[in-house]
Amino acid sequence: MAATTPSAVERAAAALARLRHARLLHPAGRTFGGEARIWGTPGPPAGVPLLDSPGRWPATIRLSKGVPTPGGWPDVLGVAVRLHREPEPPVDLLFSSSGAAPVLRNLPLPRRRFTGTYTSIMPFRAGGRRLFLAVLADPESPDLGRGLAEAGAAVAADEPRLVLAAASAVGRWRPFGEVRLDERGAAEDAALAFDPIGNVPPGLRLAGPLARLRDDSYRGSRRARGATLSRAARRG
């Protein structure tokens, strides 16, 4: 298949990533191994196999800071989760610190600690419906603490958990699974590349101009770093 010409956004993202010698978005992070356990959406099915059907997969989890600010200063914090569903392609879920209420779900909010609500920011389309995904702090789990160093110490001492949840644009969060973090199988952080557009769960899609902008930004950042995607080869 012939290579496509990079867009202006992709070229700009690649230039900025080369300038900072790191990812364009969320450059500072820690990567952990783990496991995702899906028990299914409570109540009416979401109509998405990953959310509705019980399953259990190895996972790679990256905690990150968006700017990044020094130490434990407020920052837009990130949680990225890759589900390794071999022989099926992987699923990449990316979340940013935000609010739990409907009016705050698509608004990144700075935070000091790796607690609270992290949403997909952009809604997914499931058929004709809009759906947000989130990871939520588990009140019965060890706290991930403030900053990446404390998060690493928390994972080394225990196996913290994050709750996976879904909600309509105005509905309540419905937990459908959890992710456990551990130190086994952690990947090298600099080499890890997520694809939030191409590796979406089957049955969901991100649509609209912001999705294209996000795709081009991540593509340019990966190209500048020489990062290799783990995905079914459909593009780049």
Side-chain angles (χ1 to χ4, degrees), residues 81-207:
V81 179
R82 168 166 291 164
L83 307 183
H84 302 278
R85 306 183 309 133
E86 297 178 357
E88 298 296 321
V91 163
D92 287 345
L93 303 173
L94 273 62
F95 309 95
S96 296
S97 54
S98 59
V103 294
L104 298 176
R105 288 173 185 171
N106 60 352
L107 181 64
L109 297 176
R111 192 176 295 155
R112 282 189 170 89
R113 304 182 67 86
F114 284 96
T115 57
T117 300
Y118 299 76
T119 75
S120 53
I121 302 296
M122 296 174 57
F124 293 89
R125 291 283 181 181
R129 297 176 297 112
R130 289 202 308 164
L131 194 68
F132 284 89
L133 299 183
V135 288
L136 314 174
D138 185 338
E140 298 181 359
S141 168
D143 192 333
L144 284 167
R146 176 184 296 191
L148 296 170
E150 287 191 18
V155 174
D158 209 324
E159 293 189 0
R161 301 180 303 275
L162 296 169
V163 176
L164 295 168
S168 65
V170 296
R172 61 181 178 84
W173 292 111
R174 297 196 291 164
F176 65 87
E178 68 177 14
V179 174
R180 293 175 179 262
L181 290 75
D182 63 47
E183 293 190 309
R184 300 185 297 272
E188 181 185 350
D189 187 72
L192 188 61
F194 291 91
D195 186 350
I197 306 297
N199 287 347
V200 295
L204 292 177
R205 64 185 178 89
L206 285 166

Side-chain angles (χ1 to χ4, degrees), residues 31 47 56-57 69 89 99 102 119 140 154 190 206 208 211 216 226 229:
T31 302
R56 188 168 178 169
W57 297 283
T69 58
T119 75
E140 298 181 359
L206 285 166
D216 286 353
L229 277 177

